[in-house]
Amino acid sequence: MTSSEQSDQQQSEQQQPDQRGVVFPAGPDGRRSTAAVGRAVIADALRPVDPTGARAAEHETNWRGGYLTHLRRTVEAGLASPAAARAIAGAGLDSLHTRMRVAGPDGEVALGSLRTASPRRSLTTVEVRGEAPPEQELTLPWRGERLRGDDVRRRLDAWVGAGMVEPSCADAVRAVLDHPEWLALHGRTVVVLGAGAEMGPLPALLRWGARVAAVDLPRVELWRRVLETTRRGAGTLLLPARRDHADPAAEAGADLVAEVPEVAEWLLGLPGGLVLGNYVYADGATNVRVSAAVDALTVRLQQQRPDLALAFLATPTDVFAVPRDAVAASAAAYADRSRTAKLLGRPLRTLSAGRLLQRNYVPGADPGVNDSLVPQQGPNYALAKRVQRWRATVARTDGATVSLNVAPPTRTRSVVKNRALAAAYAGAHRFGVEVFEPATSNVLMAALLVHDLHTGGGPAHAHPWQDEAHAAAHGGLWRAPYAPRSALGLAAVLGSPAPAADVPPRSSGALARATGSSRGTSCTESPGDSLHEIADPHPVPPIPAPRPGRSWGTAGERRENGEGAGQGTPGSRVGAASGSVGGPPRCTAGAPADRLLGMDTTAAQQARAPR
């Protein structure tokens, strides 16, 4: 075991005395190794179709540093055939359910026991109705305005033209515009696991008059915010509570990691066709624990409700097979670089040992493979998100309605308060990537959910990768000229705060010329000048310092950090939507760009150094 793995285990993998519910298996030394489980699950997933890849994953000595290759391989190996992709998904889920455990007062049992385990307590239903009339049309918040009708259509056209969303995404939203009666989702109950998630659909659905069943941890302030959102909306909120109370927030909530049977029995008693929406996120090892718990909940509900529909948000910072059109658009953008960018790109690649400004795809690839994994996210985050994609694939194969859409990079509160992440996002538009505002992403993804539920999960495709790529709102990552990991380090340098007055000014001219762009001030500016123009650099406004965190729950594993670790809800195991959606999960504030993005940005720093 490498020293980095030993440190990782000591910090987040060691058994905690009060761990209950879904846990990692304990080894002979009593440690619950996330690396061992992650390595084994990925190897087991690959084994049916790629035995060589499975062996490589099994023998990876530095899982935290080397997991990216093996996660990518699970996508590449699945491209051989639809059957191969489905075999990988099924084997990965089987491995997870075989290896994860459930810790209770009487010892530990297999994760599969949750399919039939009896609840230890009953949850009562509290119903709260909104006080506003339902919105009768789809409106889209964008840069401080609320777009309607033709303005929404023009914005969709602009995003498609700029390569920020796939054309099928715009088509799906246009269909919702044409059918405003879809918005209320009559006859359905949408379960939002992670009710406080900044990227979850709860606010939009309630404005549209839908019925929403909300699940999150029992946190009074969180539930007061949810209840206030409900009252401002037009829908109906159903929430689980220990008992009736004058203040529902005081009794609401459940812990999915420890209460799968309780939540399952509560959900089975709700009216309407159930839609199980997975918007959960947690820090570190707990992210895998809560993802495994939600998957166990899914299997249990499917046994008793065969009509159960599933909903997920896929992170854009993952590996996806992408259509030929996206590859061609990326190749065109690469060929259209400025003459100066072409001349300086080669020395930058040389100085960085080939890691800077790599092409996004092999020209002509069909499909291409977009690798937007960010190393600092870590293997636990990547595995948790991959479990969701595997479940979506298996459920579609079984005939279920599934809504899984790639959401755009989003400037959530957890991103903005981290200097390194905020800097990368502030400079991302210079490389053809738009970072969306949370309000825009929230409504856009909720509209795609509505579309999917009214169209049986969208059109049928021959291969699972096509299901995942359909209607993707990737923010430009798929159609940008450069492979994301080879450019976002430079984006972090370009987007970093302006130096203090007593620090000699730095010149970013060389780097700007190398990328064909200048420094920018906004992570949502138009990317029109991102690759082709040279301009004088201008200062970037300072980025707020992170808010101090507060410990919570299981010692050393769960944290509450301001508005949440991943997507803007207080450090919740069932609260924040995948850091996926709003970008990489939280890391140490001020982390250097090379550590954040897993690449050497020395060349970029030299380009910015005082002359």
Side-chain angles (χ1 to χ4, degrees), residues 525-545:
E525 290 178 341
S526 169
D529 64 346
S530 40
L531 298 170
H532 317 296
E533 298 179 8
I534 301 174
D536 293 332
H538 50 277
V540 177
I543 295 175

Side-chain angles (χ1 to χ4, degrees), residues 278-297:
N278 184 348
Y279 306 98
V280 301
Y281 172 78
D283 285 343
T286 313
N287 203 14
V288 179
R289 294 174 61 201
V290 70
S291 290
V294 171
D295 202 63
L297 173 67

Side-chain angles (χ1 to χ4, degrees), residues 3-339:
S3 59
S4 64
E5 281 193 307
Q6 288 174 337
S7 175
D8 188 47
Q9 283 193 345
Q10 290 171 358
Q11 292 178 11
S12 64
E13 300 173 7
Q14 190 170 352
Q15 181 180 5
Q16 301 297 330
D18 59 343
Q19 277 196 346
R20 302 292 281 274
V22 179
V23 296
F24 288 87
D29 59 358
R31 286 181 177 155
R32 301 185 183 274
S33 172
T34 63
V37 170
R39 185 189 296 115
V41 170
I42 296 301
D44 289 343
L46 286 167
R47 205 177 316 280
V49 298
D50 185 5
T52 301
R55 285 193 296 272
E58 283 179 322
H59 292 92
E60 176 61 65
T61 58
N62 180 11
W63 185 248
R64 182 163 187 82
Y67 75 94
L68 293 94
T69 299
H70 308 292
L71 265 291
R72 177 179 176 125
R73 196 155 183 166
T74 62
V75 174
E76 292 175 327
L79 295 179
S81 68
R86 294 171 185 133
I88 289 171
L93 292 174
D94 289 345
S95 179
L96 182 79
H97 281 254
T98 298
R99 296 177 185 281
M100 295 297 284
R101 309 289 292 172
V102 180
D106 300 324
E108 294 186 13
V109 294
L111 182 65
S113 67
L114 292 178
R115 298 183 185 186
T116 57
S118 299
R120 296 179 179 274
R121 68 173 176 126
S122 297
L123 296 169
T124 187
T125 301
V126 175
E127 180 176 312
V128 181
R129 294 182 180 272
E131 300 171 358
E135 295 184 2
Q136 299 296 325
E137 63 175 334
L138 174 63
T139 62
L140 182 68
W142 192 71
R143 295 188 180 179
E145 301 180 20
R146 186 164 286 275
L147 307 182
R148 287 180 163 80
D150 289 341
D151 288 338
V152 177
R153 292 181 174 87
R154 282 189 286 269
R155 172 49 28 207
L156 293 171
D157 291 341
W159 278 334
V160 171
M164 300 300 116
V165 305
E166 292 303 290
S168 52
C169 173
D171 291 342
V173 177
R174 291 189 193 102
V176 178
L177 283 167
D178 293 339
H179 294 278
E181 71 277 7
W182 286 359
L183 294 174
L185 293 173
H186 295 297
R188 294 185 182 269
T189 296
V190 181
V191 181
V192 177
L193 302 178
E198 189 172 3
M199 282 289 293
L202 183 142
L205 294 178
L206 289 173
R207 288 199 305 271
W208 298 336
R211 183 169 58 222
V212 176
V215 180
D216 213 312
L217 288 173
R219 297 184 175 280
V220 174
E221 291 305 315
L222 182 153
W223 285 107
R224 284 179 179 162
R225 290 196 301 271
V226 170
L227 290 168
E228 179 58 28
T229 299
T230 303
R231 294 186 181 100
R232 292 199 306 266
T236 300
L237 178 73
L238 307 176
L239 56 89
R242 290 185 292 269
R243 59 181 182 273
D244 291 329
H245 194 276
D247 180 8
E251 298 293 331
D255 184 351
L256 274 175
V257 167
E259 296 184 293
V260 167
E262 289 78 4
V263 173
E265 292 305 303
W266 178 70
L267 293 176
L268 288 170
L270 298 182
L274 281 186
V275 181
L276 187 66
N278 184 348
Y279 306 98
V280 301
Y281 172 78
D283 285 343
T286 313
N287 203 14
V288 179
R289 294 174 61 201
V290 70
S291 290
V294 171
D295 202 63
L297 173 67
T298 303
V299 172
R300 179 168 176 145
L301 292 175
Q302 286 175 323
Q303 290 177 334
Q304 300 184 58
R305 295 287 292 267
D307 61 338
L308 180 74
L310 303 182
F312 309 90
L313 291 182
T315 172
T317 52
D318 203 341
V319 182
F320 291 94
V322 305
R324 177 178 52 193
D325 289 350
V327 175
S330 173
Y334 190 85
D336 197 35
R337 292 167 298 150
S338 68
R339 182 170 178 270

